[in-house]
């Protein structure tokens, strides 16, 4: 038996950081007989921050949660060995001493949050308990090979040398990954190789480097109109010396530097940018009305003998919650609102009050979340410019709604209750709680649609997109669900929207401005490819047996429930390797946050128990 236990944490973004902190605090509270050597590995030099919160990135790349929610030091059992550090707001106040203290509702640069995370890591590193050694390895783990009772980790350091490091227990906290290119991406790469003017950018991060290759004055088509797209667009505009300013009317306008592309041509399924978040998004959990303890107990009871059906079992409750929150605002504070509130948890009564309200107010807008999800669905557009004007009006309307906030906009109040509904869903989706068909529909249909209207950027970023439309840089003419073809004669990508008659644009550059989803079998990283090839991991599958046997694989890694030990190709759990965060997304949901999840504590306890058990053998 070696005299020192070795634990490896592969990936030191926020999730790895929380796990490291818990492990050290557990060791401090209940030390082992032997010493502990913790190896942390991170591809980027900023331990704790990850490329998402890279402290070097430009300041116009903003977080998409308000900073009042960020706190590294919420764990307390056992107490933090490094002592409780400052929450983000306190840290910011101490560090920058702004004249006006932050309210917590601000959306600050991701780089600033990165500095907070890195300083948090430094605090942990500088306060190790006795008996612990910490080695920080900057570079990439490319393989894990079983060896006796432990593992060899193949590590390629950032400076290029290759090393083998031994570990007894391993945590995969590898975060966001890239996928192997599919047929379409390969054809774009080959097209760009054949035509000197053409280029294909498969991934936008780090934006400073990837966007640098795009020449001034070119036309750039961008696939995906989400948060990643905004980062890329801001790099091509503000990042090139342009600036945004407020006009006398209060709107944002853009003054170009002349170094921008000639035009940026975004496209996606709906052709619409995300809706900005309400300015008054609550920072705490809000109680639901129809999904209370007894409704949850009834659902769990049903789960004992069958998987849940999304549309039959859950959706009616979700619709009732959205409607209630919409009409609470729409009806104001008078008699109608009192009648609504008096219905309590009775959805039928609530609907009859709503019907009476609409009979009394014939022009009052009915709640229709489907039209919020895709307001262009039943509209026809004569040409590209009419669709582009529609998008501008859409952005103006969404900015106005977000400024009214949940208190002033019934639509925002109704739709943003999805924050709470998603938490409910996460309790049922995991480990096959939903039927495979429902699981697929949720992940592939409902999640992307709600994500667009609920988890959008701060208001200022949609104002910036609008200003760039008005400045003639952003061109939404072909944005709605187009096809991309390769025009050999011009050497340009052709983007052609079937939904908008005759709308076509050509671009020398094509950028994939989406963030890749989790897809373990398609993961491009050497580590996951090797682990898959060795049969040490496999993709999770939601399976329903019986008459209607069916399966769904959302792309997540397979693991045991609770302990999160990876499961190999032979179906056996490996109690030495656990996984957390993004690779589990699709089975678990809610990993896409900088906040701590409870698993960090569980992992630390279980590793310490396992090592203690080894010592007792
Ligand atoms: C573009 C973008 C913006 C986001 N903005 C926000 C936001 O504003 N607010 C918010 O709450 N959430 C945001 N998120 C969600 C994000 O998922 C989480 O905030 C958080 O970064 C997740 O932490 P993580 O540690 O699981 O993963 P990551 O942050 O991805 O960190 C994983 C780390 O592991 C390293 N790594 C991976 N593989 C290896 C290997 N083989 N060897 C060595 N190191 C490895 C990576 O280099 C990285 O440093 C954003 C996500 C994206 C994609």
């Amino acid at each position: 038996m070696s005299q020192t236990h070795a634990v490896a944490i592969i990936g030191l973004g926020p999730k790895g950081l929380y796990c490291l902190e818990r492990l050290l605090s557990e060791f401090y509270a209940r030390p082992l007989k032997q010493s502990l050597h913790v190896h942390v590995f991170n591809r980027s030099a900023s331990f704790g921050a990850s490329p998402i919160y890279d402290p070097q990135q430009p300041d116009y790349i903003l977080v998409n949660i308000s900073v009042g929610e960020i706190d590294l030091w919420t764990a307390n059992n056992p107490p933090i060995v490094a002592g409780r550090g400052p929450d983000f707001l306190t840290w910011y106040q101490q560090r920058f001493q702004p004249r006006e203290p932050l309210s917590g509702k601000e959306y600050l640069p991701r780089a600033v949050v990165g500095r907070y995370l890195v300083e948090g890591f430094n605090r942990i590193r500088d306060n190790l308990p006795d008996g612990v050694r910490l080695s920080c390895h900057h570079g990439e783990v490319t393989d894990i090979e079983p060896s006796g009772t432990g593992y060899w980790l193949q590590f390629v350091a950032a400076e290029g040398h290759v090393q083998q490091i031994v570990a007894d227990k391993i945590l995969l906290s590898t975060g966001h990954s890239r996928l192997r290119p599919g047929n379409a991406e390969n054809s774009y790469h080959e097209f760009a190789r054949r035509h000197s003017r053409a280029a294909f950018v498969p991934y936008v991060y780090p934006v400073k480097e990837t966007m640098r290759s795009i020449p001034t004055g070119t036309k750039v088509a961008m696939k995906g109109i989400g948060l990643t797209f905004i980062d890329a667009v801001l790099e091509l505009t503000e990042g090139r010396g342009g600036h945004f300013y407020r006009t006398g009317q209060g709107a944002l306008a853009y003054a170009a530097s002349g170094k921008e592309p000639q035009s940026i041509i975004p496209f996606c399924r709906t052709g619409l940018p995300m809706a900005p978040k309400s300015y008054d998004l609550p920072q705490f959990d809000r109680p639901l009305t129809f999904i209370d303890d007894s409704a949850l107990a009834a659902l769990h009871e049903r789960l004992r003998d069958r998987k849940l059906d999304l549309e039959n079992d859950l959706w009616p409750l979700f619709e009732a919650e959205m409607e209630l929150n919409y009409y609470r605002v729409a009806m104001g504070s008078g008699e109608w609102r009192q009648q609504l509130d008096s219905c309590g948890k009775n959805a039928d009564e609530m609907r009859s009050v709503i019907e009476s309200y609409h009979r009394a107010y014939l022009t009052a807008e009915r709640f229709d979340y489907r039209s919020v999800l895709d307001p262009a669905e039943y509209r026809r557009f004569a040409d590209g410019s009419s669709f582009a004007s529609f998008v501008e009006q859409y952005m103006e309307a969404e900015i106005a709604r977000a400024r009214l906030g949940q208190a002033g906009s019934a639509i925002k109040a109704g739709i943003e209750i999805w924050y709470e509904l998603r938490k409910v869903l996460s309790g049922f989706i995991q480990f096959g709680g939903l039927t495979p068909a429902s699981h697929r529909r949720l992940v592939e249909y409902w999640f992307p649609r709600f994500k667009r209207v609920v988890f959008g950027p701060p208001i200022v970023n949609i104002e910036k997109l609008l200003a760039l439309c008005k400045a003639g840089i952003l061109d939404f003419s072909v944005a709605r669900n187009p096809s991309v073809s390769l025009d050999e004669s011009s050497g340009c990508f052709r983007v052609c929207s079937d939904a908008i008659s005759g709308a076509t644009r050509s671009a020398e550059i094509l950028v994939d401005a989406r963030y890749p989803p989790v897809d373990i079998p398609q993961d491009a990283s050497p580590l996951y490819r090797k682990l898959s090839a060795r049969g040490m991991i496999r993709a999770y599958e939601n399976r329903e047996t019986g008459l209607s046997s069916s399966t769904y694989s959302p792309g997540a890694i397979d693991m045991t429930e609770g302990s999160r030990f990876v499961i190999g190709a032979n179906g056996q759990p490996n109690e030495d390797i656990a996984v957390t965060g993004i690779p589990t997304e699709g089975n678990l949901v809610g990993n896409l946050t900088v906040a701590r999840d409870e698993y960090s504590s569980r992992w630390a306890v279980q590793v310490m128990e396992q090592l203690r058990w080894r010592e007792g053998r």
Side-chain angles (χ1 to χ4, degrees):
M1 185 167 68
S2 79
Q3 290 309 295
T4 303
H5 302 289
V7 174
I9 299 179
I10 306 178
L12 217 79
K15 298 285 184 237
L17 183 61
Y18 289 119
C19 287
L20 172 66
E21 185 286 310
R22 283 296 77 201
L23 182 67
L24 299 175
S25 297
E26 272 298 328
F27 187 94
Y28 183 63
R30 291 175 274 273
L32 297 167
K33 286 186 201 142
Q34 292 167 212
S35 56
L36 178 65
H37 190 171
V38 183
H39 296 272
V40 294
F41 300 87
N42 202 38
R43 258 197 234 113
S44 71
S46 308
F47 283 70
S50 89
I52 310 263
Y53 302 99
D54 178 4
Q56 309 306 326
Q57 68 194 307
D59 276 354
Y60 40 79
I61 307 285
L62 302 182
V63 289
N64 66 354
I65 55 165
S66 50
V67 293
E69 296 173 49
I70 302 172
D71 186 354
L72 270 179
W73 313 101
T74 54
N76 53 20
N77 183 21
I80 295 166
V81 60
R84 200 206 192 286
D87 59 32
F88 181 85
L89 289 183
T90 312
W91 170 85
Y92 188 89
Q93 194 62 34
Q94 289 164 354
R95 199 97 185 49
F96 300 102
Q97 301 186 342
R99 230 177 279 154
E100 287 282 313
L102 296 181
S103 69
K105 290 191 171 174
E106 297 81 359
Y107 294 83
L108 294 186
R110 287 220 286 272
V112 177
V113 175
R115 286 176 66 177
Y116 172 72
L117 293 169
V118 169
E119 288 190 23
F121 168 75
N122 293 344
R123 181 187 180 96
I124 291 167
R125 183 200 57 198
D126 297 343
N127 289 279
L128 298 178
D130 288 344
V132 174
R133 191 173 145 210
L134 179 68
S135 296
C136 302
H137 306 276
H138 173 202
E140 179 165 9
V141 175
T142 55
D143 196 6
I144 299 172
E145 198 181 339
S147 157
T149 58
Y151 297 85
W152 284 110
L153 272 63
Q154 178 94 7
F155 169 68
V156 182
E159 315 86 68
H161 68 266
V162 178
Q163 215 180 327
Q164 291 216 315
I165 291 160
V166 173
D168 303 308
K169 301 286 167 194
I170 299 167
L171 177 70
L172 301 173
S173 44
T174 47
H176 295 278
S177 201
R178 292 181 57 182
L179 302 183
R180 284 186 266 168
N183 291 342
E185 288 80 16
N186 283 331
S187 74
Y188 301 152
H189 277 300
E190 278 159 26
F191 181 73
R193 273 193 282 275
R194 286 198 299 276
H195 298 276
S196 58
R197 286 167 65 216
F200 173 53
V201 180
Y203 184 68
V204 303
Y205 293 103
V207 283
K208 268 256 163 281
E209 283 156 42
T210 59
M211 295 297 110
R212 193 176 294 141
S213 64
I214 295 178
T216 297
T218 45
K219 285 184 248 157
V220 186
M222 285 202 186
K223 181 171 190 168
I225 318 184
L227 299 173
T228 311
F229 160 78
I230 296 175
D231 291 348
V233 167
L234 295 182
E235 178 55 34
L236 289 172
T237 51
E238 269 189 292
R240 295 202 170 180
H243 71 272
F244 293 94
Y245 60 94
R246 295 254 166 223
T247 62
Q249 289 76 45
L252 267 196
Y254 181 69
S257 67
K259 295 182 188 150
E260 298 84 353
Q262 182 184 326
S263 60
I264 300 172
I265 305 156
F267 63 93
C268 68
R269 184 181 44 78
T270 59
L272 298 170
M274 296 180 94
K277 289 193 177 83
S278 286
Y279 84 93
D280 59 352
L281 204 62
Q283 289 178 9
F284 46 84
D285 290 355
R286 284 185 296 165
L288 295 167
T289 301
F290 300 101
I291 308 176
D292 58 2
D293 288 347
S294 72
L296 287 172
L299 287 168
H300 281 294
E301 189 59 35
R302 258 179 261 174
L303 252 185
R304 283 172 193 239
D305 54 308
R306 66 169 172 87
K307 290 171 184 269
L308 295 184
D309 180 278
L310 178 69
E311 259 97 6
N312 288 326
D313 295 325
L314 292 164
W315 212 253
L317 295 169
F318 288 8
E319 288 183 326
E321 294 290 354
M322 287 192 279
E323 271 174 80
L324 175 62
N325 281 284
Y326 174 89
Y327 284 101
R328 270 179 179 159
V329 176
M331 289 177 177
S333 56
E335 202 188 311
W336 284 106
R337 171 66 194 270
Q338 277 171 18
Q339 279 194 45
L340 186 79
D341 287 342
S342 69
C343 302
K345 295 172 188 296
N346 188 328
D348 291 337
E349 256 182 49
M350 173 187 80
R351 293 212 167 99
S352 101
V353 170
I354 290 170
E355 282 314 311
S356 308
Y357 169 76
H358 278 293
R359 277 196 295 276
Y361 296 94
L362 293 174
T363 54
E365 198 181 336
R366 275 187 180 271
F367 180 56
D368 173 13
Y369 65 89
R370 287 170 204 270
S371 71
V372 178
L373 298 184
D374 187 359
E377 189 171 7
Y378 298 109
R379 298 180 68 122
R380 292 289 158 263
F381 299 93
D383 51 27
S385 64
S386 58
F387 185 72
S389 321
F390 174 80
V391 175
E392 284 189 28
Q393 285 160 22
Y394 174 75
M395 284 195 265
E396 276 159 5
E398 286 299 333
I399 290 165
R401 275 182 189 159
R403 284 200 180 122
L404 288 171
Q406 293 190 359
S409 160
I411 286 183
K412 283 296 199 199
I415 214 86
E416 286 182 351
I417 198 68
W418 184 258
Y419 274 95
E420 310 304 326
L421 299 179
R422 197 188 56 154
K423 287 177 208 155
V424 171
L425 260 175
S426 65
F428 291 104
I429 186 176
Q430 53 186 319
F431 298 98
L434 299 183
T435 64
S438 291
H439 195 169
R440 178 192 294 279
R441 188 142 170 87
L442 187 62
V443 170
E444 297 180 9
Y445 184 86
W446 289 114
F447 274 163
R449 283 163 177 77
F450 274 97
K451 183 171 150 196
R452 192 185 73 74
V453 293
V454 177
F455 301 111
I459 297 170
V460 67
N461 275 351
I462 296 301
E463 288 187 279
K464 286 183 176 180
L465 294 189
L466 182 60
L468 290 170
C469 287
K470 295 196 187 293
I473 292 177
L474 263 183
D475 173 3
F476 275 88
S477 308
V478 291
R480 192 164 171 88
N481 204 21
S483 54
V484 177
S485 58
L486 308 174
D487 184 351
E488 298 290 346
S489 58
S490 65
C492 284
F493 296 94
R494 270 171 77 80
V495 187
C496 190
S497 175
D498 300 333
I500 308 162
S501 59
T504 302
R505 288 284 182 276
S506 289
E508 297 93 338
I509 319 281
L510 176 63
V511 175
D512 192 333
R514 298 168 304 170
Y515 217 90
V518 176
D519 190 350
I520 291 297
Q522 293 307 318
D523 196 292
S525 72
L527 177 61
Y528 280 92
R529 293 184 71 171
K530 290 269 177 50
L531 291 178
S532 293
R534 283 182 194 287
M536 288 170 71
I537 57 168
R538 68 178 186 184
Y540 163 72
E541 197 173 68
N542 181 357
R543 184 175 284 275
E544 188 166 44
T545 48
L547 281 177
S548 58
S549 102
S550 60
T551 59
Y552 174 57
S553 194
I557 195 166
D558 201 6
M559 63 184 181
T560 54
E561 209 168 331
S563 52
R564 303 194 191 171
F565 296 133
V566 297
I567 296 178
N570 59 3
Q572 292 302 311
N574 180 343
E575 297 193 355
D576 296 328
I577 306 181
V579 60
T580 187
I582 313 296
T584 70
E585 185 72 17
N587 174 14
L588 309 185
V589 291
N591 293 296
L592 296 156
T593 162
V594 71
R596 190 173 82 86
D597 70 41
E598 283 308 314
Y599 180 70
S600 54
S601 300
R602 182 190 280 255
W603 173 76
V605 169
Q606 98 193 358
V607 167
M608 290 291 287
E609 276 172 0
Q610 288 176 323
L611 296 178
R612 201 165 284 122
W613 182 80
R614 275 191 181 200
E615 290 182 343
R617 270 193 308 186

